[in-house]
């Protein structure tokens, strides 16, 4: 490769152009915002670094500086966002070799993690405290996520037409963009997120009664003109947790709770992944690795017990 082709453009400017070319209008808004966040961080960290100065050493320095104030997983995410653009830079002849090759991912000490999910007793205590009157309210929203593991935006987008009483399931084929001033329907996170989620007859009957006076395409939990804030509902959930003296979790924590309890009940990883709308079981395994390891230990005890009887 001729060195004359190599780019002398500033790295952060190349990365911004790469976002415009490959990511604008191609990925979801929330995903795109992450790319722009990385761009702003890159501009702050190395405002004077040119593409022709990029090599394994200069790239590793970027990661090391970033890692001083970020945990290892966050640094890894930062690295992955940059790595994709640099692969293209090599292919396009803007740089000679891949500077991300054999990068070392570091990170500052992990902060003490808040518990992400409730155990069965805590969840039952929480559900019994909900105000589930005849009119659909946000307590019904909490109940639904706890029993289905739906994503926040998926649950917001539900309409009466999504409930199939005969098949006893809820169809997930859209989500609600609540982050913009005027909310609107949008596609689900990925193709695997389009799914049918089975629910128990009691939950189906409860919702059938609550939505019978709504139009089939009318939003269940709020009006289209209402502005919905994730933080507001998380605070409401947190207030419940504080009052009940149980771990404070987020709405996404209710999704984690649902999945965790299914795994503890012996439901397969494949079935849990499908129910959550994960693209593959790898995501499920990585998210719930601590539970899976715990269950593996129990399985090992069962295996040894079985083997001991074969004498």
């Amino acid at each position: 490769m001729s060195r004359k082709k190599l780019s002398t453009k500033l790295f952060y400017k190349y990365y911004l152009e790469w976002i415009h070319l490959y990511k604008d209008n191609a990925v979801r808004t929330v995903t795109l915002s992450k790319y722009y966040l990385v761009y702003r961080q890159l501009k702050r960290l190395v405002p004077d670094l040119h593409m022709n100065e990029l090599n394994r050493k200069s790239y590793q320095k970027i990661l090391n500086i970033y890692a001083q104030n970020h945990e290892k997983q966050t640094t890894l995410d930062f690295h992955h966002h940059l790595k994709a653009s640099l692969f293209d830079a090599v292919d396009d002849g803007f740089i000679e070799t891949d500077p991300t090759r054999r990068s070392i991912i570091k990170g500052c000490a992990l902060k003490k993690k808040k518990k992400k999910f409730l155990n069965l007793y805590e969840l039952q205590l929480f559900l019994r405290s909900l105000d589930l009157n005849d009119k659909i309210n946000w307590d019904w929203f909490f109940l639904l996520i706890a029993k289905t593991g739906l994503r926040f935006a998926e649950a917001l987008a539900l309409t009466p037409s999504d409930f199939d009483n005969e098949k006893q399931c809820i169809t997930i084929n859209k989500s609600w963009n609540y982050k913009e001033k005027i909310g609107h329907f949008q596609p689900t996170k990925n193709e695997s997120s389009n799914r049918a989620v089975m629910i128990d007859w009691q939950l189906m009957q409860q919702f059938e009664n609550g939505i019978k006076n709504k139009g089939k395409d009318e939003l269940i939990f709020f009006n289209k003109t209402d502005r919905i804030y994730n933080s507001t509902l998380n605070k409401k959930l947190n207030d419940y947790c504080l009052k009940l003296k149980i771990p404070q979790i987020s709405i996404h924590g209710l999704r984690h709770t649902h999945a965790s309890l299914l795994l503890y009940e012996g439901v397969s990883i494949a079935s849990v992944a499908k129910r959550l709308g994960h693209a593959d079981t790898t995501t499920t395994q990585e998210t719930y690795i601590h539970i899976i390891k715990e269950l593996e230990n129990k399985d090992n005890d069962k295996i040894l017990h079985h083997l001991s009887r074969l004498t």
Side-chain angles (χ1 to χ4, degrees):
M1 183 184 296
S2 173
R3 279 196 168 274
K4 292 181 181 180
K5 292 177 63 179
L6 302 184
S7 173
T8 57
K9 185 183 293 292
L10 288 168
F11 182 19
Y12 77 84
K13 288 188 176 181
Y14 162 77
Y15 185 69
L16 179 61
E17 290 180 1
W18 179 84
I19 294 173
H20 291 328
L21 184 61
Y22 293 105
K23 299 302 175 182
D24 283 351
N25 301 315
V27 297
R28 287 164 56 92
T29 304
V30 65
T31 304
L32 186 63
S33 66
K34 293 178 182 177
Y35 282 101
Y36 279 104
L37 175 61
V38 170
Y39 156 71
R40 292 191 295 272
Q41 293 167 331
L42 187 63
K43 184 178 180 180
R44 176 180 60 82
L45 292 173
V46 284
D48 302 317
L49 181 66
H50 293 79
M51 293 292 287
N52 62 333
E53 298 172 321
L54 265 174
N55 52 42
R56 285 189 60 213
K57 185 176 180 181
S58 60
Y59 182 75
Q60 186 66 55
K61 284 183 178 179
I62 296 173
L63 294 183
N64 290 351
I65 296 171
Y66 184 83
Q68 290 175 2
N69 299 308
H70 296 86
E71 295 179 5
K72 189 172 183 179
Q73 182 59 52
T74 309
T75 305
L76 182 61
D77 292 339
F78 177 73
H79 164 64
H80 282 160
H81 279 79
L82 292 177
K83 187 175 182 179
S85 72
L86 293 173
F87 276 0
D88 287 335
V90 174
D91 289 345
D92 294 334
F94 297 147
I95 54 177
E96 195 166 19
T97 59
D98 174 19
T100 70
R101 188 173 63 88
R102 292 166 56 194
S103 296
I104 305 300
I105 307 302
K106 304 175 184 179
C108 61
L110 291 173
K111 296 177 183 177
K112 187 177 180 180
K113 298 288 185 181
K114 287 175 61 178
K115 188 177 177 183
K116 291 184 177 181
F117 59 91
L118 305 176
N119 60 35
L120 181 58
Y121 169 76
E122 292 163 344
L123 179 62
Q124 289 174 331
L125 194 65
F126 168 70
L127 294 180
R128 285 196 292 267
S129 73
L130 297 178
D131 178 20
L132 303 175
N133 52 46
D134 293 337
K135 186 177 180 181
I136 297 291
N137 56 29
W138 290 114
D139 282 17
W140 284 91
F141 185 80
F142 296 149
L143 172 69
L144 182 73
I145 294 181
K147 281 202 165 190
T148 61
L150 297 185
R151 296 182 178 94
F152 180 71
E154 292 172 345
L156 288 178
L158 288 176
T159 63
S161 62
D162 297 320
F163 286 75
D164 189 325
N165 189 39
E166 185 178 338
K167 294 182 179 179
Q168 208 169 308
C169 69
I170 300 174
T171 299
I172 308 301
N173 54 20
K174 58 190 177 301
S175 64
W176 185 257
N177 187 337
Y178 61 92
K179 294 188 177 181
E180 295 185 12
K181 190 172 183 179
I182 300 177
H184 56 84
F185 289 112
Q186 64 181 4
T188 53
K189 185 175 183 180
N190 50 49
E191 187 58 35
S192 301
S193 297
N194 296 317
R195 62 201 188 279
V197 178
M198 298 292 294
I199 61 175
D200 61 276
W201 66 268
Q202 185 180 20
L203 185 64
M204 177 63 77
Q205 189 175 56
Q206 287 173 312
F207 268 90
E208 281 288 310
N209 292 332
I211 64 180
K212 61 185 178 184
N213 294 322
K214 289 182 176 287
K216 66 175 185 177
D217 295 320
E218 186 180 349
L219 290 170
I220 290 175
F221 295 104
F222 60 101
N223 297 317
K224 285 186 177 181
T225 54
D226 294 342
R227 186 74 193 272
I228 304 301
Y229 295 95
N230 182 280
S231 57
T232 303
L233 293 178
N234 274 328
K235 184 181 184 308
K236 182 177 176 64
L237 175 57
N238 261 261
D239 289 343
Y240 272 123
C241 293
L242 281 170
K243 184 178 179 180
L244 296 168
K245 298 181 180 179
I246 59 177
Q248 297 172 55
I249 62 169
S250 64
I251 291 174
H252 198 69
L254 286 177
R255 175 173 159 88
H256 282 312
T257 297
H258 180 74
S260 301
L261 292 178
L262 289 181
L263 289 170
Y264 277 127
E265 285 294 322
V267 178
S268 71
I269 294 174
S271 294
V272 173
K274 184 177 180 181
R275 188 170 175 85
L276 294 180
H278 285 166
D280 53 55
T281 57
T282 302
T283 303
T284 316
Q285 289 171 326
E286 290 176 349
T287 305
Y288 302 101
I289 186 65
H290 59 294
I291 296 173
I292 293 169
K293 285 182 177 179
E294 186 177 334
L295 294 174
E296 283 179 353
N297 291 334
K298 290 182 179 180
D299 286 343
N300 287 335
D301 290 340
K302 292 177 183 178
I303 291 169
L304 292 176
H305 176 68
H306 170 71
L307 293 176
S308 68
R309 297 168 63 190
L310 300 179
T311 55

